[in-house]
Amino acid sequence: MRNDILTMTATDLLAYYRTGKLSPVEVSEAMLNQIERLDSHTNGFCLVDRKISLDFARESEIRYQRGEPQGLVDGVPVGVKDVFLTPWWPTRRGSHTVDPDTTLNKAAPSVAWLMPAPWHGPLKTAH
């Protein structure tokens, strides 16, 4: 794995995606692997969905290969704090008293802004 991926800005990633020097899949895998290595120590994520994150990354990679990226941040991994509604995952707000089924299929405005360009997990942060 290229360690520099973990410190690149969104602007850097987008430039590399456009030139084909990096792919959204490569970046998502690097980010997910880093979370897997460190989260047991940092406890920063309450939900990491590797499968869906990589599915979104593959879709983004295809769009870049076609020269048709969507939106401003297509392919950039994004973490969303667990107080914002996301349509694919329950929003617990750090509590087990919230019925997760009532939060599905809804998106906070900040999350909806990302939706034209699907983000590539990890998705929910705990803190």
Side-chain angles (χ1 to χ4, degrees):
M1 174 187 70
R2 293 176 45 185
N3 287 330
D4 59 329
I5 290 173
L6 301 174
T7 60
M8 288 183 183
T9 66
T11 304
D12 294 337
L13 293 174
L14 292 169
Y16 281 112
Y17 293 164
R18 283 187 215 102
T19 63
K21 291 181 181 178
L22 276 178
S23 77
V25 173
E26 183 179 5
V27 171
S28 292
E29 286 175 340
M31 299 286 182
L32 289 163
N33 291 340
Q34 180 79 340
I35 290 167
E36 190 175 297
R37 276 191 299 280
L38 298 177
D39 198 48
S40 65
H41 303 290
T42 61
N43 194 31
F45 294 88
C46 62
L47 185 146
V48 177
D49 192 327
R50 180 176 285 273
K51 181 191 177 318
I52 290 180
S53 296
L54 291 174
D55 287 348
F56 284 153
R58 285 183 200 95
E59 292 171 10
S60 177
E61 186 171 314
I62 290 167
R63 288 190 294 274
Y64 275 100
Q65 289 170 347
R66 292 180 181 160
E68 301 170 351
Q70 293 181 356
L72 299 175
V73 293
D74 194 359
V76 176
V78 175
V80 177
K81 186 162 176 62
D82 188 40
V83 296
F84 295 104
L85 295 170
T86 56
W88 298 281
W89 297 278
T91 300
R92 304 293 304 248
R93 297 179 183 94
S95 172
H96 292 289
T97 64
V98 174
D99 178 359
D101 292 336
T102 65
T103 67
L104 294 172
N105 300 313
K106 299 174 185 172
S110 56
V111 172
W113 182 85
L114 295 169
M115 291 172 69
W119 63 87
H120 312 135
L123 218 37
K124 295 285 186 156
T125 64
H127 305 279

